[in-house]
Amino acid sequence: MIRTFETRIAAVDDRHADILGKIAEKMCVAERKIHAFLASGKEWKADEYRHIYTELGLSSVMFRSAKDSLDGRLRSISELAKVQAADLKLRVDQKKKQIEDKEDNLAKARVSLARHQVKFDDLSGRISELQEKIEAASKPSVKAKAVAKLKLLLDKRAIVVQKLKGLANDVDQMPFNLHQHRRKLSSLKCQLRRAEERTEKPRICFGAKNLFRQQFDLEANGFKSHAEWKETWRKARTSSFAFVGVANMAGGNEVARLKLRKDGLFNLELRLPPGIRTSSQSYITFRKISFNQGHDKIIAALARQQPLTVRFVRDEISWKIHVTIDQPTTPGKFDDSRGCLGIDLNADSVALTLVDRFGNPIRSWTIPMVTHGLSSDQALDLTRKVAKQIIDLAREYDVTIAAEDLDFATKKAQLTSDSSPRYARMLSSFGYSSFQRALASACARNAVYPRQVNPAFTSLIGRTKFARRYGLSVHTAAALSIARRAMGFSERMPKPIEGKIILPLDNGDHVTLPRPARIAGRHVWSQWRTLNVRYKAALAAHRRTRRKSRSSGMASGGPNPEELPLRRTNGPSPAGFVRDVPR
């Protein structure tokens, strides 16, 4: 596992800062020249590129480090382009499907419009005949029957007129909507083509593309002149440089060597390039360097003579040092002999349930994790802190962890303008992949061995079998079913009460459903699938009933449920409260 540890150089005098700036400029110029050299199609041979680092005043070792640093950046761009291309392919397929559906809807609307127009003409003809019959009728009884029939026909025609207006509006608007969708499809295809090109030939802008574009609108970006922007651009292009580590060498690096002091701190000895080196000075030394995190890991890496890649980064304050090592991880296996910690990730929280080796719940927790409204860095920081809390609990109780193997990339790519805003907002802020990476990284660092399980029906199983039985919320009950699935316990249906199964709802209510019949030779999930369909249907009916009762209660002057007092309950309500609604 690759890990990077960071520290800031405590005191950098002007002379050392000037030397670091000169090295950074030479190394960054070397990267750009290497990029141009390779882009021109030349073969990477020492005889071909020796003149480049000789003119720059760099050693061959430093020049190779510049190439390794460039290769890493290009690989990163290529891998990111692959992820973007995969996402764009999903979006292109989804957009094609939307266009096909809208074309079908337009064709159906035109057919329906023609059919209703025929119906309108037929009703209008019959109405005209009746009106003439009424005018010509001499008997009151005949006239009265004709008038009654005329009223019915007029009502029918009014309904048809309303439908005609709606269909005519749809037929007028749909071609424009289709045009916009086709334009979006063309844009997505263009983005996909560019992403695929970046995968094969990654493009890079030294100094950041956003900063490069700021020169075209200086005032809006806070620059007084183009010279001021150019100075900022130059600093951005020369803000970092790195030297790749080498194994079985003192300090783990040929150019930047870390040496352990007697007081437990480090000295960093940096060799100077030939273009800067003098007869009296061939290197500079930074003394008493300490790392807030990973100090002992670096000491262990030095003892094992591992390669240490050292990167110097300049920010607004001073220079920082990043040391990257390959930390070995101990191979292990999922061991549930002491129990398991089940994890159920939700849009605003993480539910945890500790299970003993017999599959019985011991304790449960709910850790808030609301990422909606946060920046990407804030959301990532929150995710990592939650992952650390989970690992601390796993180490405290000496158990392994189990989580669902979920992937929301496809669902996010399939979001459309017709999707529910609440659903789209939930998916967009639901950073499961970042949480999964943070949890995997924390597990690797702390020798905790996780297991990912199939997420099928875990929430339904927890809701049905464990929520009422153990007094758990539906989310902690889902975490319990995840842990039990990882441990290989049975997932059979619970015994029914008078042939019925009780499923608690999130608001403290419940629905009662018949137990699905067990079909011989079928997997037990077939029963849960049948129950899930019935549960969703019952839940939809339950919501409609509550909506109607609420509207009728308001209309009749009944009490407002939102204004009723709260009382504590022992049921599975996640909030722990329900409202005292009069029966």
Side-chain angles (χ1 to χ4, degrees), residues 137-373:
S138 57
K139 294 183 179 180
S141 59
V142 175
K143 190 173 183 179
K145 289 181 181 180
V147 169
K149 191 174 182 179
L150 178 62
K151 290 181 178 179
L152 291 176
L153 292 177
L154 288 173
D155 292 340
K156 288 182 180 180
R157 191 175 68 171
I159 296 173
V160 172
V161 167
Q162 292 296 326
K163 289 184 178 180
L164 277 174
K165 290 181 179 179
L167 289 170
N169 184 63
D170 291 343
V171 170
D172 290 339
Q173 295 294 329
M174 282 183 179
F176 178 75
N177 293 337
L178 267 173
H179 171 68
Q180 297 299 327
H181 279 277
R182 292 190 182 107
R183 288 184 60 189
K184 183 64 176 179
L185 178 61
S186 300
S187 175
L188 290 174
K189 286 182 178 179
C190 181
Q191 295 177 35
L192 176 59
R193 185 173 60 256
R194 291 177 180 176
E196 291 174 344
E197 291 175 355
R198 288 197 303 271
T199 302
E200 300 297 330
K201 295 181 179 180
R203 294 177 295 176
I204 184 171
C205 179
F206 296 94
K209 184 164 48 177
N210 291 336
L211 182 57
F212 177 78
R213 290 174 175 172
Q214 289 180 9
Q215 65 174 315
F216 305 114
D217 194 355
L218 297 173
E219 294 184 1
N221 293 289
F223 294 106
K224 297 180 180 178
S225 63
H226 191 270
E228 181 182 356
W229 170 86
K230 192 173 182 179
E231 180 64 20
T232 304
W233 169 254
R234 188 190 66 80
K235 289 182 179 179
R237 302 184 90 184
T238 59
S239 61
S240 69
F241 61 95
F243 300 110
V244 179
V246 180
N248 299 322
M249 178 168 288
N253 200 298
E254 292 184 87
V255 181
R257 297 179 179 178
L258 278 174
K259 295 182 179 180
L260 184 63
R261 296 163 51 97
K262 293 182 179 180
D263 57 3
L265 301 179
F266 296 102
N267 285 346
L268 178 63
E269 183 182 288
L270 177 62
R271 291 174 55 190
L272 299 179
I276 302 176
R277 191 181 305 163
T278 62
S279 58
S280 60
Q281 187 180 26
S282 60
Y283 62 88
I284 58 175
T285 304
F286 302 99
R287 304 182 184 278
K288 295 184 178 181
I289 294 175
S290 64
F291 295 86
N292 295 331
Q293 295 182 356
H295 197 91
D296 54 340
K297 305 292 189 305
I298 296 176
I299 294 175
L302 287 174
R304 292 190 296 267
Q305 293 188 335
Q306 285 184 242
L308 274 71
T309 298
V310 181
R311 177 175 290 276
F312 291 82
V313 180
R314 178 178 57 199
D315 57 13
E316 295 81 2
I317 302 175
S318 64
W319 286 88
K320 294 187 294 185
I321 299 175
H322 294 180
V323 176
T324 303
I325 63 174
D326 187 359
Q327 183 179 347
T329 56
T330 306
K333 63 178 182 178
F334 182 81
D335 182 14
D336 56 5
S337 60
R338 291 178 297 274
C340 181
L341 182 65
I343 303 172
D344 180 51
L345 179 62
N346 303 290
D348 57 353
S349 63
V350 179
L352 309 172
T353 300
L354 179 63
V355 179
D356 63 15
R357 62 192 181 96
F358 301 106
N360 300 315
I362 301 175
R363 291 191 61 183
S364 61
W365 301 266
T366 298
I367 304 176
M369 194 179 72
V370 181
T371 58
H372 176 62

Side-chain angles (χ1 to χ4, degrees), residues 13 56 74 94 141 145 161 189 235 237 262 353 368 370 446-447 458 465 468 500 502 524 535 541:
D13 55 29
L56 290 174
L74 293 177
Q94 182 66 18
S141 59
K145 289 181 181 180
V161 167
K189 286 182 178 179
K235 289 182 179 179
R237 302 184 90 184
K262 293 182 179 180
T353 300
V370 181
N446 295 276
T458 52
K465 295 184 67 173
R468 293 172 62 89
K500 303 291 184 180
I502 300 175
V524 68
Y535 167 69

Side-chain angles (χ1 to χ4, degrees), residues 376-491:
S376 58
D377 291 337
Q378 291 172 334
L380 182 60
D381 179 66
L382 176 61
T383 301
R384 289 174 175 172
K385 288 179 179 178
V386 172
K388 184 179 183 301
Q389 293 183 53
I390 295 172
I391 297 303
D392 290 343
L393 286 173
R395 295 188 65 186
E396 178 183 352
Y397 291 96
D398 194 19
V399 293
T400 55
I401 64 175
E404 295 175 311
D405 186 11
L406 298 171
D407 184 13
F408 291 95
T410 303
K411 291 186 177 181
K412 288 182 180 180
Q414 292 175 350
L415 285 176
T416 66
S417 57
D418 299 330
S419 302
S420 167
R422 181 180 178 185
Y423 177 72
R425 186 165 54 249
M426 185 273 291
L427 273 186
S428 300
S429 61
F430 198 39
Y432 179 78
S433 58
S434 61
F435 175 79
Q436 195 176 29
R437 289 192 296 268
L439 187 62
S441 178
C443 288
R445 291 195 304 269
N446 295 276
V448 177
Y449 308 109
R451 172 173 288 180
Q452 290 188 331
V453 300
N454 192 320
F457 310 115
T458 52
S459 297
L460 182 64
I461 293 173
R463 185 188 299 270
T464 305
K465 295 184 67 173
F466 307 121
R468 293 172 62 89
R469 181 177 181 181
Y470 295 111
L472 300 173
S473 70
V474 291
H475 299 306
T476 52
L480 171 58
S481 65
I482 291 170
R484 286 174 59 89
R485 177 170 293 179
M487 299 170 72
F489 284 103
S490 171
E491 295 181 342

